[in-house]
Amino acid sequence: MILFPADTLERSEVERDYRLEFEGARAAGFATALFDFDGLRRGEDLDRVLWRVPESLRGEALIYRGWMLAAPDYARLFHGLEARGWKMVNDTKAYRFGHHAPENYAFWQQWMPQTAWTTREEFEHNGFAPIYEVLKAFGSSPVIVKDWVKSQKHRWDEACFIPDASDEDEVRRVVSRFLELQGEYLTGGLVFRRFETLRGDGAGQVFEWRSFWLDGRLLSLTPNLVREDEPDLETVADKARECPSRFFTLDFSQKDTGEWVIIEMGDGGVSGLPSGVNIDGWYRKLAI
Ligand SMILES: Nc1ncnc2c1ncn2[C@@H]1O[C@H](COP(=O)(O)OP(=O)(O)O)[C@@H](O)[C@H]1O
Ligand SMILES: [Mg+2]
């Protein structure tokens, strides 16, 4: 079964952004169910949040496809579904692994740009000192900043790209703006990644391929722009089979040197399908 968020207004309908996925899932033979996403986030009673979810008598597998959830909310969803007999393919530990950059960096490190992080608590107690401290590892290289889950990539110069990791004024300017934009939605803390020069269309768009994996098997590999080349995934695929998440994404780009890098890992339930993907075909693959 695939679980989707219900629409906020039309509660018996799937959230509109997931309509095509909902239809694709049904066409591929999946059972589907809806739940009250906002209610879950507000901490409402699970019986209300999940009242449309039927019980599973045989402990069947369930895949969540929907918006990102904070880890504690995911944990409540997991337990609520478990009480109804469903087993989410990713338990909360696996969700955190895929969703939080600091948890998965060591696992994919050989393909990822150098990465360092701080926690929100460190910042709240000690201000910028712990940030300057972790940034020492990058010397005067450029880095990008994000939280443990998301960046402000659409505000690149203002809140994402730091031209020189050793320039404390620049660090403070970009990080302050990033924190201001994230506000209460800041997840975990800050992540810094060494900036790499990546291949793109020359007009400001970097080429990026999103891959989905289920139980170590590649489900899809889709570029953000029309491309004929694609990353060689042979060595990554070996590693993917050992991954502590059953359902996840990896985004790839190519350095100007030709080397492929993993830009980020994501949880398979809450990562968007790329616009170039054939949704019905994707759900048919998922169903195999
Ligand atoms: N290490 C890096 N070097 C160069 N560009 C990067 C790097 N990491 C991310 N980017 C660029 O920034 C964008 C956003 O980063 P990403 O980690 O994917 O954050 P988000 O979770 O917001 O999508 C990427 O799509 C990529 O183009
Ligand atoms: Mg991304």
Side-chain angles (χ1 to χ4, degrees), residues 195-247:
F195 174 81
E196 305 285 0
T197 307
L198 303 171
R199 289 192 180 165
D201 65 357
Q205 274 260 56
V206 168
F207 301 136
E208 190 169 305
W209 285 253
R210 170 155 293 181
S211 60
F212 274 86
W213 304 77
L214 179 68
D215 288 329
R217 172 173 67 97
L218 180 66
L219 283 178
S220 61
L221 176 62
T222 319
N224 59 344
L225 299 168
V226 176
R227 299 293 298 158
E228 276 163 16
D229 56 341
E230 56 177 42
D232 172 9
L233 298 183
E234 208 173 311
T235 51
V236 173
D238 288 339
K239 188 80 173 166
R241 282 188 278 278
E242 296 161 19
C243 185
S245 161
R246 289 184 58 190
F247 185 39

Side-chain angles (χ1 to χ4, degrees), residues 121-136:
E121 291 71 30
E122 280 173 312
F123 178 77
E124 281 167 1
H125 292 138
N126 302 310
F128 277 79
I131 294 175
Y132 299 147
E133 194 55 39
V134 297
L135 281 172
K136 283 186 181 154

Side-chain angles (χ1 to χ4, degrees), residues 35-200:
F35 77 109
D36 180 355
F37 180 87
D38 295 322
L40 177 70
R41 289 217 306 186
R42 281 195 300 264
E44 279 175 22
D45 196 83
L46 284 171
D47 283 333
R48 281 186 56 180
V49 168
L50 297 175
W51 76 271
R52 285 178 195 280
V53 179
E55 293 212 353
S56 165
L57 301 175
R58 286 176 281 119
E60 287 149 295
L62 178 144
I63 284 179
Y64 170 54
R65 284 291 303 158
W67 306 121
M68 289 181 179
L69 284 164
D73 291 339
Y74 192 94
R76 287 186 73 227
L77 180 63
F78 181 87
H79 291 302
L81 290 165
E82 196 176 40
R84 282 162 186 74
W86 295 100
K87 186 147 180 45
M88 287 181 96
V89 296
N90 275 345
D91 62 15
T92 307
K93 202 161 168 244
Y95 179 73
R96 292 168 56 113
F97 184 88
H99 195 50
H100 291 168
E103 301 211 19
N104 61 58
Y105 174 59
F107 189 82
W108 302 111
Q109 189 167 0
Q110 67 188 108
W111 296 282
M112 272 186 181
Q114 182 187 356
T115 302
W117 57 88
T118 60
T119 63
R120 179 186 197 134
E121 291 71 30
E122 280 173 312
F123 178 77
E124 281 167 1
H125 292 138
N126 302 310
F128 277 79
I131 294 175
Y132 299 147
E133 194 55 39
V134 297
L135 281 172
K136 283 186 181 154
F138 298 95
S140 53
S141 302
V143 293
I144 67 138
V145 63
K146 54 188 289 185
D147 70 14
W148 288 11
V149 174
K150 284 305 280 180
S151 71
Q152 287 282 349
K153 60 191 167 199
H154 302 299
R155 303 186 189 236
W156 185 256
D157 290 318
E158 198 186 329
C160 190
F161 180 67
I162 301 171
D164 175 348
S166 69
D167 184 334
E168 296 189 353
D169 292 340
E170 279 289 278
V171 169
R172 185 182 284 269
R173 174 183 67 82
V174 178
V175 170
S176 301
R177 184 67 180 133
F178 176 77
L179 289 169
E180 183 181 43
L181 290 165
Q182 295 303 83
E184 61 175 306
Y185 297 107
L186 182 82
T187 304
L190 296 169
V191 167
F192 298 95
R193 286 207 153 120
R194 180 184 292 273
F195 174 81
E196 305 285 0
T197 307
L198 303 171
R199 289 192 180 165

